[in-house]
Amino acid sequence: MAPCLRKPWLRKMFPHEDWLVILLGAMVLGLCTLLVESKPGPTPGEKPQVVNYAKGTIAKLEKWASNPVRAFVSEDQAKKPYQHLPSLAVTWAVLGALLVPVGLWKGIRPLEYWTGFLVLSFLGTLAFVMASQEVIKQYNYEYVLWALLLGLLISNTVGVPRAIRPMLIGDTLIKLGLVLLGAEVLFNKLVALGPPGIFTSWIVTPVVLISTFWFGQRVLKMDSPSLNMVISADMSVCGVSAAIATGAACRAKREEISYAIGISLLFTSLMMVVQPQFVLWSGMDKNVGAAWMGGTIDSTGAVAAAGAVLGKDAETIASTVKMIQNVLIGVIAFAVAAYWTMAYGENDDQQKIGLGEIWKRFPKFVLGFLAASLAFSFLLPSLGVSSAAIDSITKDTTTPLRSWLFCLAFVAFGLETNFRELGKYLKEGKPLLLYLIGQTWSMILSLAMAYWMFGVLYADRVKEILAK
Amino acid sequence: MRWFKFLGGCAVLSFVWLWVLPRIAQYPSVRDHLELLERRNINAGAMYYTEVEEHR
């Protein structure tokens, strides 16, 4: 029998897994920051050039039409076939090395660790290839859906081999991915459109979230508060990323997160086609229509695609409103974690709990998520790191790495999920009804606020901003 | 039976991705939208704003 890898010292150092996740996330973010250098421009007065030494190391697959092999070939260097394969190998190596401490902490044997990791990585790569098909991409069916599907296909047909079961660590991968996501939640993005953007995103969104959750609990009497919260958040904030962040914050079951993501992506693909056509058909002011779409269509990419149908300005407004809404994810995840800690502890007694108990129950990884957001929003700029350098850190390294972590997490979720468990939610009408009612409510409120802000109060100001 | 189901699932996925979707992409309305996204450099599959080129 292979020797067990578990080292007691690691568990002693990190009694709670979340602390290890935060440390790993901090190390990745720190290293990615150190690998970026700002060099003076070629001539005096020119903007400094940003050099990212890690650029291109984490694989991002290409869009393809009919030949999936094209996912591995960049059009820029078409003469050199399969040039994404080296970065794919590096990505697997980086992920494999990054997750070793997690494997040690969980006491996973080396053979099980590497076998499981390779299976997850292979299926994750396949999910990215499926998501890169141009029609799939066009309708915003994100990789997480295909990662889940591949996992489900295996677990519900041939079954999951015992050797890889210890590596089904989806929850840990999600937490680590969320700490990296924190670096993308930049508070300076809030002022991109001034007051109209903030009002449309930051007033309507929390109102819709809280009222939909309340409706689900009090009127629909949803069986699972965590499913109610995940659906309310993904519908009102920003789709998949919000579902993942709030799902982890309120410790939702993997089937609940998967279900919420499934209905969100389904309705996103419908809304991104229907909503811009409705704006055109109704003769609505395009700026108002764009802000409305930015506030209501769940997924970020879908918002940009829907806005593009209305024109360049509309695309800018729609995606900027969505970006401002995206930033809300940090505050929402923290608020949900805090609320859940107090309202839905492990012991659902109605007794008041002390600060010590609150701290014990609080999902600590949320602190890492928030700390990363604050560091990249305020600390790094104060230390002289330019916004171009921060953009490069996230765009070229942390964002693709975070995507891989989420992808592997959803492969693991699929491999752990039985169709029957997921089917339970499909049969029950309440979650779908909650989504539909919440989305309708969101559309009404967002339209009213978009009209008031972009059509009445700040109509001229918005036109001035766009003209610049 | 389990392997039959698995291989059947793989066959369905391959058929959809390698035959159905490439044909859907040829419809004029779908093609137009794809070209619009290509021209504007829009990543319609973005999960978060950092994956949208415009916000970089």
mmCIF file of all heavy atoms in Angstrom, chain A residues 12-60:
data_model
loop_
_atom_site.group_PDB
_atom_site.id
_atom_site.type_symbol
_atom_site.label_atom_id
_atom_site.label_comp_id
_atom_site.label_asym_id
_atom_site.label_seq_id
_atom_site.Cartn_x
_atom_site.Cartn_y
_atom_site.Cartn_z
ATOM 1 N N LYS A 12 -2.222 21.059 11.467
ATOM 2 C CA LYS A 12 -2.013 21.851 12.688
ATOM 3 C C LYS A 12 -1.859 23.319 12.337
ATOM 4 O O LYS A 12 -2.360 24.208 13.006
ATOM 5 C CB LYS A 12 -0.755 21.371 13.421
ATOM 6 C CG LYS A 12 -1.014 20.201 14.355
ATOM 7 C CD LYS A 12 0.265 19.829 15.058
ATOM 8 C CE LYS A 12 0.103 18.451 15.696
ATOM 9 N NZ LYS A 12 1.383 17.870 16.057
ATOM 10 N N MET A 13 -1.135 23.551 11.240
ATOM 11 C CA MET A 13 -0.926 24.934 10.799
ATOM 12 C C MET A 13 -2.214 25.572 10.317
ATOM 13 O O MET A 13 -2.472 26.747 10.524
ATOM 14 C CB MET A 13 0.082 24.954 9.644
ATOM 15 C CG MET A 13 1.507 25.174 10.077
ATOM 16 S SD MET A 13 2.588 25.091 8.657
ATOM 17 C CE MET A 13 2.477 26.741 8.031
ATOM 18 N N PHE A 14 -3.013 24.757 9.616
ATOM 19 C CA PHE A 14 -4.267 25.267 9.047
ATOM 20 C C PHE A 14 -5.418 24.392 9.540
ATOM 21 O O PHE A 14 -5.846 23.478 8.846
ATOM 22 C CB PHE A 14 -4.224 25.239 7.518
ATOM 23 C CG PHE A 14 -3.082 26.008 6.927
ATOM 24 C CD1 PHE A 14 -1.925 25.370 6.516
ATOM 25 C CD2 PHE A 14 -3.152 27.381 6.817
ATOM 26 C CE1 PHE A 14 -0.870 26.078 5.981
ATOM 27 C CE2 PHE A 14 -2.099 28.104 6.284
ATOM 28 C CZ PHE A 14 -0.947 27.446 5.868
ATOM 29 N N PRO A 15 -5.914 24.674 10.757
ATOM 30 C CA PRO A 15 -6.983 23.832 11.275
ATOM 31 C C PRO A 15 -8.225 23.889 10.384
ATOM 32 O O PRO A 15 -8.984 22.928 10.301
ATOM 33 C CB PRO A 15 -7.276 24.408 12.651
ATOM 34 C CG PRO A 15 -6.442 25.622 12.797
ATOM 35 C CD PRO A 15 -5.504 25.726 11.661
ATOM 36 N N HIS A 16 -8.436 25.018 9.720
ATOM 37 C CA HIS A 16 -9.568 25.143 8.795
ATOM 38 C C HIS A 16 -9.010 25.233 7.373
ATOM 39 O O HIS A 16 -8.082 25.992 7.115
ATOM 40 C CB HIS A 16 -10.381 26.391 9.138
ATOM 41 C CG HIS A 16 -11.745 26.372 8.546
ATOM 42 N ND1 HIS A 16 -11.962 26.486 7.204
ATOM 43 C CD2 HIS A 16 -12.965 26.224 9.114
ATOM 44 C CE1 HIS A 16 -13.260 26.427 6.964
ATOM 45 N NE2 HIS A 16 -13.893 26.255 8.099
ATOM 46 N N GLU A 17 -9.595 24.467 6.477
ATOM 47 C CA GLU A 17 -9.129 24.432 5.077
ATOM 48 C C GLU A 17 -9.073 25.822 4.442
ATOM 49 O O GLU A 17 -8.192 26.125 3.632
ATOM 50 C CB GLU A 17 -10.075 23.538 4.281
ATOM 51 C CG GLU A 17 -9.728 23.404 2.829
ATOM 52 C CD GLU A 17 -10.862 22.775 2.035
ATOM 53 O OE1 GLU A 17 -11.965 23.360 1.985
ATOM 54 O OE2 GLU A 17 -10.649 21.709 1.467
ATOM 55 N N ASP A 18 -10.036 26.681 4.831
ATOM 56 C CA ASP A 18 -10.128 28.008 4.199
ATOM 57 C C ASP A 18 -8.844 28.822 4.356
ATOM 58 O O ASP A 18 -8.487 29.608 3.477
ATOM 59 C CB ASP A 18 -11.306 28.788 4.777
ATOM 60 C CG ASP A 18 -12.629 28.249 4.272
ATOM 61 O OD1 ASP A 18 -12.641 27.128 3.733
ATOM 62 O OD2 ASP A 18 -13.657 28.943 4.412
ATOM 63 N N TRP A 19 -8.158 28.665 5.501
ATOM 64 C CA TRP A 19 -6.917 29.429 5.705
ATOM 65 C C TRP A 19 -5.848 29.001 4.701
ATOM 66 O O TRP A 19 -5.091 29.825 4.197
ATOM 67 C CB TRP A 19 -6.397 29.266 7.129
ATOM 68 C CG TRP A 19 -7.306 29.875 8.141
ATOM 69 C CD1 TRP A 19 -7.935 29.232 9.176
ATOM 70 C CD2 TRP A 19 -7.740 31.242 8.226
ATOM 71 N NE1 TRP A 19 -8.714 30.108 9.889
ATOM 72 C CE2 TRP A 19 -8.612 31.361 9.330
ATOM 73 C CE3 TRP A 19 -7.474 32.392 7.475
ATOM 74 C CZ2 TRP A 19 -9.221 32.548 9.692
ATOM 75 C CZ3 TRP A 19 -8.077 33.594 7.837
ATOM 76 C CH2 TRP A 19 -8.937 33.664 8.923
ATOM 77 N N LEU A 20 -5.808 27.704 4.430
ATOM 78 C CA LEU A 20 -4.845 27.210 3.438
ATOM 79 C C LEU A 20 -5.197 27.763 2.050
ATOM 80 O O LEU A 20 -4.316 28.200 1.292
ATOM 81 C CB LEU A 20 -4.868 25.676 3.414
ATOM 82 C CG LEU A 20 -3.975 25.011 2.362
ATOM 83 C CD1 LEU A 20 -2.513 25.314 2.621
ATOM 84 C CD2 LEU A 20 -4.196 23.498 2.344
ATOM 85 N N VAL A 21 -6.495 27.766 1.757
ATOM 86 C CA VAL A 21 -6.961 28.288 0.465
ATOM 87 C C VAL A 21 -6.581 29.765 0.323
ATOM 88 O O VAL A 21 -6.096 30.196 -0.726
ATOM 89 C CB VAL A 21 -8.496 28.093 0.352
ATOM 90 C CG1 VAL A 21 -9.074 28.933 -0.767
ATOM 91 C CG2 VAL A 21 -8.821 26.616 0.134
ATOM 92 N N ILE A 22 -6.769 30.524 1.405
ATOM 93 C CA ILE A 22 -6.437 31.955 1.359
ATOM 94 C C ILE A 22 -4.930 32.135 1.126
ATOM 95 O O ILE A 22 -4.510 32.964 0.313
ATOM 96 C CB ILE A 22 -6.883 32.667 2.662
ATOM 97 C CG1 ILE A 22 -8.408 32.727 2.726
ATOM 98 C CG2 ILE A 22 -6.295 34.070 2.759
ATOM 99 C CD1 ILE A 22 -8.956 33.262 4.035
ATOM 100 N N LEU A 23 -4.117 31.334 1.824
ATOM 101 C CA LEU A 23 -2.658 31.445 1.653
ATOM 102 C C LEU A 23 -2.260 31.112 0.211
ATOM 103 O O LEU A 23 -1.470 31.844 -0.404
ATOM 104 C CB LEU A 23 -1.936 30.502 2.625
ATOM 105 C CG LEU A 23 -0.413 30.522 2.493
ATOM 106 C CD1 LEU A 23 0.167 31.823 3.036
ATOM 107 C CD2 LEU A 23 0.236 29.340 3.196
ATOM 108 N N LEU A 24 -2.833 30.036 -0.331
ATOM 109 C CA LEU A 24 -2.502 29.664 -1.711
ATOM 110 C C LEU A 24 -2.927 30.769 -2.685
ATOM 111 O O LEU A 24 -2.181 31.137 -3.601
ATOM 112 C CB LEU A 24 -3.205 28.352 -2.092
ATOM 113 C CG LEU A 24 -2.668 27.078 -1.436
ATOM 114 C CD1 LEU A 24 -3.528 25.887 -1.802
ATOM 115 C CD2 LEU A 24 -1.225 26.832 -1.866
ATOM 116 N N GLY A 25 -4.120 31.305 -2.469
ATOM 117 C CA GLY A 25 -4.611 32.402 -3.323
ATOM 118 C C GLY A 25 -3.695 33.610 -3.232
ATOM 119 O O GLY A 25 -3.335 34.219 -4.248
ATOM 120 N N ALA A 26 -3.279 33.941 -1.999
ATOM 121 C CA ALA A 26 -2.397 35.106 -1.798
ATOM 122 C C ALA A 26 -1.056 34.878 -2.488
ATOM 123 O O ALA A 26 -0.482 35.800 -3.087
ATOM 124 C CB ALA A 26 -2.199 35.347 -0.305
ATOM 125 N N MET A 27 -0.550 33.647 -2.405
ATOM 126 C CA MET A 27 0.737 33.349 -3.055
ATOM 127 C C MET A 27 0.621 33.505 -4.573
ATOM 128 O O MET A 27 1.500 34.074 -5.230
ATOM 129 C CB MET A 27 1.182 31.925 -2.707
ATOM 130 C CG MET A 27 1.781 31.822 -1.313
ATOM 131 S SD MET A 27 1.952 30.128 -0.735
ATOM 132 C CE MET A 27 3.052 29.453 -1.923
ATOM 133 N N VAL A 28 -0.470 33.013 -5.139
ATOM 134 C CA VAL A 28 -0.667 33.125 -6.593
ATOM 135 C C VAL A 28 -0.763 34.594 -6.993
ATOM 136 O O VAL A 28 -0.083 35.041 -7.932
ATOM 137 C CB VAL A 28 -1.951 32.373 -7.033
ATOM 138 C CG1 VAL A 28 -2.287 32.693 -8.481
ATOM 139 C CG2 VAL A 28 -1.782 30.876 -6.849
ATOM 140 N N LEU A 29 -1.579 35.344 -6.250
ATOM 141 C CA LEU A 29 -1.757 36.762 -6.596
ATOM 142 C C LEU A 29 -0.444 37.532 -6.425
ATOM 143 O O LEU A 29 -0.099 38.382 -7.254
ATOM 144 C CB LEU A 29 -2.866 37.383 -5.735
ATOM 145 C CG LEU A 29 -4.280 36.832 -5.994
ATOM 146 C CD1 LEU A 29 -5.275 37.413 -4.993
ATOM 147 C CD2 LEU A 29 -4.745 37.141 -7.416
ATOM 148 N N GLY A 30 0.284 37.221 -5.360
ATOM 149 C CA GLY A 30 1.571 37.888 -5.121
ATOM 150 C C GLY A 30 2.565 37.580 -6.231
ATOM 151 O O GLY A 30 3.223 38.481 -6.763
ATOM 152 N N LEU A 31 2.657 36.313 -6.590
ATOM 153 C CA LEU A 31 3.604 35.911 -7.638
ATOM 154 C C LEU A 31 3.230 36.545 -8.982
ATOM 155 O O LEU A 31 4.101 37.060 -9.706
ATOM 156 C CB LEU A 31 3.604 34.377 -7.755
ATOM 157 C CG LEU A 31 4.664 33.782 -8.672
ATOM 158 C CD1 LEU A 31 6.063 34.053 -8.127
ATOM 159 C CD2 LEU A 31 4.458 32.271 -8.816
ATOM 160 N N CYS A 32 1.941 36.521 -9.285
ATOM 161 C CA CYS A 32 1.494 37.123 -10.554
ATOM 162 C C CYS A 32 1.798 38.623 -10.575
ATOM 163 O O CYS A 32 2.112 39.183 -11.628
ATOM 164 C CB CYS A 32 -0.007 36.900 -10.758
ATOM 165 S SG CYS A 32 -0.412 35.186 -11.076
ATOM 166 N N THR A 33 1.707 39.277 -9.416
ATOM 167 C CA THR A 33 2.017 40.714 -9.340
ATOM 168 C C THR A 33 3.512 40.951 -9.547
ATOM 169 O O THR A 33 3.924 41.872 -10.265
ATOM 170 C CB THR A 33 1.575 41.283 -7.977
ATOM 171 O OG1 THR A 33 0.199 40.970 -7.792
ATOM 172 C CG2 THR A 33 1.759 42.787 -7.894
ATOM 173 N N LEU A 34 4.331 40.092 -8.937
ATOM 174 C CA LEU A 34 5.787 40.256 -9.062
ATOM 175 C C LEU A 34 6.274 40.011 -10.495
ATOM 176 O O LEU A 34 7.318 40.522 -10.895
ATOM 177 C CB LEU A 34 6.509 39.284 -8.117
ATOM 178 C CG LEU A 34 6.389 39.600 -6.623
ATOM 179 C CD1 LEU A 34 7.008 38.490 -5.785
ATOM 180 C CD2 LEU A 34 7.039 40.942 -6.301
ATOM 181 N N LEU A 35 5.515 39.234 -11.241
ATOM 182 C CA LEU A 35 5.934 38.910 -12.613
ATOM 183 C C LEU A 35 5.548 39.999 -13.627
ATOM 184 O O LEU A 35 5.743 39.830 -14.827
ATOM 185 C CB LEU A 35 5.334 37.566 -13.043
ATOM 186 C CG LEU A 35 5.953 36.341 -12.365
ATOM 187 C CD1 LEU A 35 5.146 35.091 -12.655
ATOM 188 C CD2 LEU A 35 7.399 36.162 -12.808
ATOM 189 N N VAL A 36 4.963 41.073 -13.123
ATOM 190 C CA VAL A 36 4.588 42.174 -14.021
ATOM 191 C C VAL A 36 5.494 43.369 -13.740
ATOM 192 O O VAL A 36 5.719 43.728 -12.592
ATOM 193 C CB VAL A 36 3.099 42.560 -13.820
ATOM 194 C CG1 VAL A 36 2.767 43.836 -14.571
ATOM 195 C CG2 VAL A 36 2.211 41.436 -14.308
ATOM 196 N N GLU A 37 6.000 43.947 -14.802
ATOM 197 C CA GLU A 37 6.928 45.067 -14.655
ATOM 198 C C GLU A 37 6.489 46.213 -15.566
ATOM 199 O O GLU A 37 6.085 45.975 -16.709
ATOM 200 C CB GLU A 37 8.329 44.599 -15.059
ATOM 201 C CG GLU A 37 9.416 45.595 -14.750
ATOM 202 C CD GLU A 37 10.781 45.149 -15.295
ATOM 203 O OE1 GLU A 37 10.883 44.044 -15.856
ATOM 204 O OE2 GLU A 37 11.713 45.925 -15.193
ATOM 205 N N SER A 38 6.548 47.417 -15.024
ATOM 206 C CA SER A 38 6.241 48.590 -15.848
ATOM 207 C C SER A 38 7.548 49.201 -16.314
ATOM 208 O O SER A 38 8.390 49.578 -15.496
ATOM 209 C CB SER A 38 5.438 49.616 -15.045
ATOM 210 O OG SER A 38 4.143 49.146 -14.820
ATOM 211 N N LYS A 39 7.720 49.281 -17.646
ATOM 212 C CA LYS A 39 8.950 49.873 -18.187
ATOM 213 C C LYS A 39 8.624 51.237 -18.779
ATOM 214 O O LYS A 39 7.531 51.417 -19.323
ATOM 215 C CB LYS A 39 9.521 48.959 -19.272
ATOM 216 C CG LYS A 39 10.135 47.687 -18.723
ATOM 217 C CD LYS A 39 10.782 46.876 -19.815
ATOM 218 C CE LYS A 39 11.541 45.699 -19.219
ATOM 219 N NZ LYS A 39 12.101 44.824 -20.216
ATOM 220 N N PRO A 40 9.574 52.194 -18.695
ATOM 221 C CA PRO A 40 9.302 53.523 -19.266
ATOM 222 C C PRO A 40 9.025 53.427 -20.770
ATOM 223 O O PRO A 40 9.549 52.534 -21.449
ATOM 224 C CB PRO A 40 10.588 54.306 -19.006
ATOM 225 C CG PRO A 40 11.427 53.463 -18.130
ATOM 226 C CD PRO A 40 10.911 52.086 -18.132
ATOM 227 N N GLY A 41 8.177 54.321 -21.262
ATOM 228 C CA GLY A 41 7.849 54.336 -22.682
ATOM 229 C C GLY A 41 9.071 54.637 -23.534
ATOM 230 O O GLY A 41 10.076 55.153 -23.022
ATOM 231 N N PRO A 42 9.012 54.330 -24.846
ATOM 232 C CA PRO A 42 10.178 54.553 -25.715
ATOM 233 C C PRO A 42 10.600 56.017 -25.797
ATOM 234 O O PRO A 42 11.788 56.320 -25.924
ATOM 235 C CB PRO A 42 9.705 54.041 -27.085
ATOM 236 C CG PRO A 42 8.261 53.698 -26.960
ATOM 237 C CD PRO A 42 7.885 53.721 -25.533
ATOM 238 N N THR A 43 9.625 56.921 -25.709
ATOM 239 C CA THR A 43 9.978 58.345 -25.715
ATOM 240 C C THR A 43 9.433 58.999 -24.451
ATOM 241 O O THR A 43 8.424 58.535 -23.913
ATOM 242 C CB THR A 43 9.370 59.050 -26.944
ATOM 243 O OG1 THR A 43 7.966 58.754 -26.974
ATOM 244 C CG2 THR A 43 10.011 58.592 -28.249
ATOM 245 N N PRO A 44 10.106 60.062 -23.980
ATOM 246 C CA PRO A 44 9.639 60.719 -22.750
ATOM 247 C C PRO A 44 8.191 61.208 -22.903
ATOM 248 O O PRO A 44 7.803 61.674 -23.966
ATOM 249 C CB PRO A 44 10.609 61.904 -22.590
ATOM 250 C CG PRO A 44 11.790 61.568 -23.435
ATOM 251 C CD PRO A 44 11.316 60.690 -24.540
ATOM 252 N N GLY A 45 7.446 61.075 -21.830
ATOM 253 C CA GLY A 45 6.037 61.520 -21.862
ATOM 254 C C GLY A 45 5.070 60.428 -22.280
ATOM 255 O O GLY A 45 3.871 60.553 -22.077
ATOM 256 N N GLU A 46 5.604 59.376 -22.860
ATOM 257 C CA GLU A 46 4.714 58.275 -23.259
ATOM 258 C C GLU A 46 4.376 57.400 -22.072
ATOM 259 O O GLU A 46 5.143 57.335 -21.110
ATOM 260 C CB GLU A 46 5.393 57.426 -24.343
ATOM 261 C CG GLU A 46 4.807 57.684 -25.725
ATOM 262 C CD GLU A 46 5.345 56.691 -26.735
ATOM 263 O OE1 GLU A 46 4.881 55.552 -26.729
ATOM 264 O OE2 GLU A 46 6.237 57.085 -27.522
ATOM 265 N N LYS A 47 3.234 56.734 -22.175
ATOM 266 C CA LYS A 47 2.808 55.862 -21.076
ATOM 267 C C LYS A 47 3.805 54.722 -20.894
ATOM 268 O O LYS A 47 4.338 54.207 -21.874
ATOM 269 C CB LYS A 47 1.437 55.257 -21.401
ATOM 270 C CG LYS A 47 0.275 56.182 -21.134
ATOM 271 C CD LYS A 47 -1.031 55.447 -21.403
ATOM 272 C CE LYS A 47 -2.207 56.355 -21.151
ATOM 273 N NZ LYS A 47 -3.470 55.709 -21.507
ATOM 274 N N PRO A 48 4.054 54.316 -19.626
ATOM 275 C CA PRO A 48 4.972 53.191 -19.424
ATOM 276 C C PRO A 48 4.384 51.900 -20.014
ATOM 277 O O PRO A 48 3.171 51.716 -20.034
ATOM 278 C CB PRO A 48 5.089 53.087 -17.901
ATOM 279 C CG PRO A 48 3.942 53.843 -17.352
ATOM 280 C CD PRO A 48 3.544 54.857 -18.368
ATOM 281 N N GLN A 49 5.298 51.070 -20.514
ATOM 282 C CA GLN A 49 4.847 49.796 -21.091
ATOM 283 C C GLN A 49 4.827 48.719 -20.007
ATOM 284 O O GLN A 49 5.724 48.655 -19.187
ATOM 285 C CB GLN A 49 5.792 49.374 -22.212
ATOM 286 C CG GLN A 49 5.665 50.278 -23.426
ATOM 287 C CD GLN A 49 6.632 49.876 -24.528
ATOM 288 O OE1 GLN A 49 7.712 49.371 -24.263
ATOM 289 N NE2 GLN A 49 6.225 50.115 -25.757
ATOM 290 N N VAL A 50 3.786 47.925 -20.062
ATOM 291 C CA VAL A 50 3.650 46.856 -19.071
ATOM 292 C C VAL A 50 4.165 45.557 -19.677
ATOM 293 O O VAL A 50 3.751 45.164 -20.762
ATOM 294 C CB VAL A 50 2.175 46.710 -18.636
ATOM 295 C CG1 VAL A 50 2.007 45.499 -17.723
ATOM 296 C CG2 VAL A 50 1.696 47.969 -17.942
ATOM 297 N N VAL A 51 5.080 44.930 -18.961
ATOM 298 C CA VAL A 51 5.599 43.626 -19.412
ATOM 299 C C VAL A 51 5.166 42.572 -18.396
ATOM 300 O O VAL A 51 5.470 42.693 -17.210
ATOM 301 C CB VAL A 51 7.141 43.644 -19.522
ATOM 302 C CG1 VAL A 51 7.653 42.300 -20.033
ATOM 303 C CG2 VAL A 51 7.587 44.773 -20.426
ATOM 304 N N ASN A 52 4.424 41.585 -18.876
ATOM 305 C CA ASN A 52 4.007 40.506 -17.982
ATOM 306 C C ASN A 52 4.771 39.238 -18.379
ATOM 307 O O ASN A 52 4.533 38.675 -19.445
ATOM 308 C CB ASN A 52 2.491 40.284 -18.103
ATOM 309 C CG ASN A 52 1.972 39.315 -17.061
ATOM 310 O OD1 ASN A 52 2.734 38.530 -16.498
ATOM 311 N ND2 ASN A 52 0.678 39.373 -16.792
ATOM 312 N N TYR A 53 5.701 38.833 -17.504
ATOM 313 C CA TYR A 53 6.546 37.686 -17.840
ATOM 314 C C TYR A 53 5.782 36.361 -17.828
ATOM 315 O O TYR A 53 6.282 35.357 -18.321
ATOM 316 C CB TYR A 53 7.740 37.621 -16.871
ATOM 317 C CG TYR A 53 8.640 38.828 -17.012
ATOM 318 C CD1 TYR A 53 8.623 39.848 -16.062
ATOM 319 C CD2 TYR A 53 9.479 38.965 -18.110
ATOM 320 C CE1 TYR A 53 9.423 40.974 -16.204
ATOM 321 C CE2 TYR A 53 10.286 40.087 -18.265
ATOM 322 C CZ TYR A 53 10.251 41.085 -17.307
ATOM 323 O OH TYR A 53 11.032 42.198 -17.458
ATOM 324 N N ALA A 54 4.591 36.380 -17.251
ATOM 325 C CA ALA A 54 3.802 35.128 -17.197
ATOM 326 C C ALA A 54 2.747 35.079 -18.304
ATOM 327 O O ALA A 54 1.985 34.113 -18.378
ATOM 328 C CB ALA A 54 3.120 35.015 -15.842
ATOM 329 N N LYS A 55 2.733 36.115 -19.138
ATOM 330 C CA LYS A 55 1.708 36.179 -20.190
ATOM 331 C C LYS A 55 1.797 34.944 -21.100
ATOM 332 O O LYS A 55 2.892 34.565 -21.539
ATOM 333 C CB LYS A 55 1.905 37.448 -21.015
ATOM 334 C CG LYS A 55 0.783 37.674 -22.007
ATOM 335 C CD LYS A 55 0.962 38.986 -22.723
ATOM 336 C CE LYS A 55 -0.170 39.180 -23.717
ATOM 337 N NZ LYS A 55 -0.128 40.473 -24.364
ATOM 338 N N GLY A 56 0.669 34.354 -21.364
ATOM 339 C CA GLY A 56 0.629 33.215 -22.281
ATOM 340 C C GLY A 56 0.917 31.873 -21.634
ATOM 341 O O GLY A 56 0.845 30.839 -22.289
ATOM 342 N N THR A 57 1.243 31.902 -20.327
ATOM 343 C CA THR A 57 1.556 30.610 -19.692
ATOM 344 C C THR A 57 0.289 29.823 -19.348
ATOM 345 O O THR A 57 0.311 28.597 -19.343
ATOM 346 C CB THR A 57 2.384 30.795 -18.401
ATOM 347 O OG1 THR A 57 1.717 31.748 -17.594
ATOM 348 C CG2 THR A 57 3.791 31.244 -18.683
ATOM 349 N N ILE A 58 -0.786 30.534 -19.044
ATOM 350 C CA ILE A 58 -2.034 29.831 -18.716
ATOM 351 C C ILE A 58 -2.886 29.769 -19.991
ATOM 352 O O ILE A 58 -3.174 30.801 -20.603
ATOM 353 C CB ILE A 58 -2.803 30.550 -17.578
ATOM 354 C CG1 ILE A 58 -1.902 30.728 -16.344
ATOM 355 C CG2 ILE A 58 -4.076 29.770 -17.220
ATOM 356 C CD1 ILE A 58 -1.404 29.439 -15.725
ATOM 357 N N ALA A 59 -3.265 28.558 -20.360
ATOM 358 C CA ALA A 59 -3.919 28.343 -21.659
ATOM 359 C C ALA A 59 -5.311 28.969 -21.727
ATOM 360 O O ALA A 59 -6.107 28.846 -20.806
ATOM 361 C CB ALA A 59 -4.018 26.843 -21.927
ATOM 362 N N LYS A 60 -5.545 29.674 -22.829
ATOM 363 C CA LYS A 60 -6.889 30.167 -23.165
ATOM 364 C C LYS A 60 -7.161 29.647 -24.568
ATOM 365 O O LYS A 60 -6.451 30.009 -25.502
ATOM 366 C CB LYS A 60 -6.914 31.697 -23.156
ATOM 367 C CG LYS A 60 -6.862 32.291 -21.777
ATOM 368 C CD LYS A 60 -7.188 33.770 -21.776
ATOM 369 C CE LYS A 60 -5.965 34.613 -22.040
ATOM 370 N NZ LYS A 60 -6.186 36.055 -21.883
#
